Each structure stands twice: as C-alpha cells, then as structure tokens.
Amino acid sequence: MEPLRSMIGKRVELELSGCKTMLHGEFIDMGSDVLVLYSNSKYIYTPIHHLQHLRLYEEWENPAMDNGPDSKIDLTNISYRKMLMNSRGIFTEIYLGGSHSLHGYVTGIMNDFFVYHSPMHQAVYIPVNHVKYLIPYPPNMTPYSLSQEHFPVQPSGVALSRTLDQQLKKLEGQLVIFDLGEHPHKKGLLKSVNDKIIQLVLAGGDDIYLHMDHVKSIHLP
C-alpha cells in the first residue's frame, strides 16, 4: 500500500468498477480498505476493492480545489466500516453503479448490509460490498431541501437481521425491487431465498433466479 500512499496530496483520476465516469480530485487520505478524495468541496469515500486504476491528473484544473479540504475533518484510522458508522444520521449521497445515486441517510448497519432511508425509495437494504462511493453533504442540508417535518428519518418497520440472506428470508412473499428497478427482471414477488439463490416471480408469472451476491440494493414498492 505504500506506493499508493505516495500519491496522497496529489490531484488524481480514479476509475472504479461499475462507475460510468471517472472521479477526479485531490487524494487526501486512505485507510486499509478505503480511499478519500476531495473534489468540488465534497469528500468522496470509496472502498478500495472497487479501484480499477488511480493516476496523476495534473492537467485537471478545478477552482474549487483552491480552498482545500477542511483541516477539522478527522480522518484518523479511517476504514470503510468506520466511515459507515460516522455517516449515520448525516445526509449523504451513495452511488451503487448504474444510472442513479441514492440520497438520504444511513439508519442501521448490520454484518454485511446496511439500511438507507431515502425519500424516493424509503428503506433500502444495501450490501456493504456494492457501495462504489459515499459523499457526505454539509451539515443542515436535507434531501431535495425538504424540511425535517416533511422528511423525518424513520427506521424500517421490518426487524433487522444480522445478515442480508436472513433479512431477505423475512421478505419472502412480498413484492420487492432489486437494484432500484433498473432492470425489468429485478422486480416482482420474492418467492424464496436458499443458499444465496433468489427465486423471483415476475409480473407475467414467470420465475427467474438471481444470485444474491449480484444484488446491489433491495427495497419494497
């Protein structure tokens, strides 16, 4: 990891698996499993296992970089798990790949997934391994400028299990949407979950089988 640490403090370009565009910013810190960029006055936290490449990008000129990151931000002993824990109750953007980002709040963290409350999708279950990056918003900001009285952060009514497969078992017999509904074959009636194989019944009655490791998010319609 030391060669990578030598890039800290420099302007870089990152390519992440599953991301359609490159990330550019100042590489300000890293932990054993997470990288931190500063770009356009935002901190971008990305799990290192999604890194495809990182390289110098000195030709990139960004006026927002002139002020530099806030020296009060504590990046001591940073890790992906610690980053998730610290983001609870803070308005954040989370990108899972594909075409859309989620905007809302982390409300609960379990062994291999966490719960994210979004005004557009309500409670979303997200496997920890599928987060491409997380961006905290400044204090006192809320999604879509909603007031807290219109958007209270409420926990899901479903009791949380320790693991995602156990959580999915609780949703058997209900209509579910996987991966924010981007694929027509990833929404329907959750019939069963066995050995990480999900059996889903589509609108026309056909069965389709999915492997849980390739599901990036789950929410109820």
Side-chain angles (χ1 to χ4, degrees), residues 114-127:
F114 61 94
V115 186
Y116 191 78
H117 192 89
S118 158
M120 289 295 186
H121 304 90
Q122 301 305 309
V124 184
Y125 304 104
I126 300 175

Side-chain angles (χ1 to χ4, degrees), residues 11-22:
R11 296 183 180 188
V12 298
E13 172 187 85
L14 263 70
E15 180 184 4
L16 302 177
S17 59
C19 288
K20 293 186 175 182
T21 59
M22 302 290 186

Side-chain angles (χ1 to χ4, degrees), residues 141-204:
M141 283 190 66
T142 59
Y144 313 101
S145 297
L146 292 171
S147 65
Q148 287 297 333
E149 64 183 24
H150 290 103
F151 179 53
V153 178
Q154 298 177 347
S156 168
V158 179
L160 296 179
S161 300
R162 291 181 177 272
T163 62
L164 186 60
D165 59 344
Q166 293 171 351
Q167 192 69 33
L168 283 172
K169 290 290 288 184
K170 290 183 177 181
L171 300 179
E172 288 181 348
Q174 297 190 55
L175 294 173
V176 297
I177 299 174
F178 295 129
D179 300 352
L180 304 180
E182 291 186 350
H183 195 289
H185 289 165
K186 287 193 173 182
K187 48 189 174 183
L189 178 72
L190 179 55
K191 190 170 183 179
S192 67
V193 182
N194 292 291
D195 298 324
K196 290 195 171 185
I197 299 299
I198 298 168
Q199 183 180 5
L200 197 66
V201 182
L202 302 182

